[in-house]
Amino acid sequence: MRLTPSGIEVVLPHLVRGTSVLSLAWTAYGAIFWESFALAASALYQIAVIMLCDNKCRCAVGREEEAGRDGNIRLVVVVVLLIPSPFLAGGAIHAFNHVSNLLPSDLMPLAICAFTAGALRALYGCLLCEQRGAMFVVKAAVALLPFVAPLVVVGLIAAGFDNVDAVTGIALLLILLLGVLAPQVVHISRLFN
């Protein structure tokens, strides 16, 4: 008797991918429309998670040409994500001298969409991965962060904090560089050695 995948196992990957792309599009639009460094860094970070962290737990590469192709794709994504990072960081540092025009009421729909996408990704990651423990929690938190960041920005602005946009943008860029892209560079170098 053959086992067939349940409906949730078929639908959930498509739902995760769809909500992630919708969240990315809305976050990128918000970054351009409101000139927000936090949203721009969040969009960049979401691209990294969508392109580099999908199905990470079952990413077992068997053949050498597949490993090389995977390494080439990852290298291109890492380079493309590294290019705008210094400009975003410089803009965020410059933004410390200016008052942000972000309003919680404007950002709330975007933040809820991003949070929903992040929650679905976390649920899918828990169902997909068999590993548990502290390392799993750290990887899940790093992958979930760009989807939760807009909601954190909304909360901090509503609480009356200054320079939330600049500080959050710089923090997201640092975590993106050190928590996502640096391990990818190590992984790519192992594939080519």
Side-chain angles (χ1 to χ4, degrees):
M1 181 176 178
R2 279 177 40 187
L3 293 173
T4 58
S6 66
I8 194 157
E9 291 173 344
V10 173
V11 172
L12 194 57
H14 299 294
L15 190 62
V16 167
R17 172 118 12 217
T19 55
S20 297
V21 170
L22 177 64
S23 169
L24 171 61
W26 205 347
T27 305
Y29 168 77
I32 295 166
F33 186 76
W34 287 295
E35 298 177 357
S36 167
F37 293 102
L39 293 180
S42 181
L44 206 64
Y45 198 153
Q46 286 180 28
I47 293 171
V49 169
I50 291 167
M51 296 298 292
L52 300 173
C53 300
D54 266 2
N55 303 336
K56 205 167 188 181
C57 295
R58 62 179 185 185
C59 227
V61 180
R63 293 179 299 180
E64 280 185 28
E65 64 259 13
E66 287 181 7
R69 197 172 336 132
D70 181 54
N72 289 336
I73 292 170
R74 287 177 183 273
L75 181 62
V76 168
V77 171
V78 168
V79 169
V80 167
L81 292 173
L82 284 174
I83 291 169
S85 296
F87 300 105
L88 271 177
I93 291 168
H94 180 69
F96 274 113
N97 300 327
H98 303 290
V99 177
S100 176
N101 61 348
L102 298 176
L103 297 173
S105 58
D106 293 337
L107 296 178
M108 188 55 83
L110 180 152
I112 290 172
C113 175
F115 181 77
T116 303
L120 283 171
R121 290 185 70 81
L123 173 66
Y124 184 54
C126 288
L127 293 175
L128 190 65
C129 296
E130 295 173 358
Q131 66 180 21
R132 294 290 183 262
M135 208 54 204
F136 171 76
V137 172
V138 169
K139 286 181 182 179
V142 167
L144 187 62
L145 187 60
F147 298 97
V148 177
L151 198 58
V152 172
V153 169
V154 168
L156 291 174
I157 291 172
F161 286 96
D162 294 331
N163 295 325
V164 171
D165 186 50
V167 171
T168 308
I170 292 169
L172 284 173
L173 282 173
L174 286 173
I175 295 169
L176 169 65
L177 293 172
L178 299 176
V180 178
L181 298 183
Q184 290 298 323
V185 171
V186 172
H187 177 69
I188 291 164
S189 66
R190 285 182 185 154
L191 287 177
F192 289 117
N193 286 341

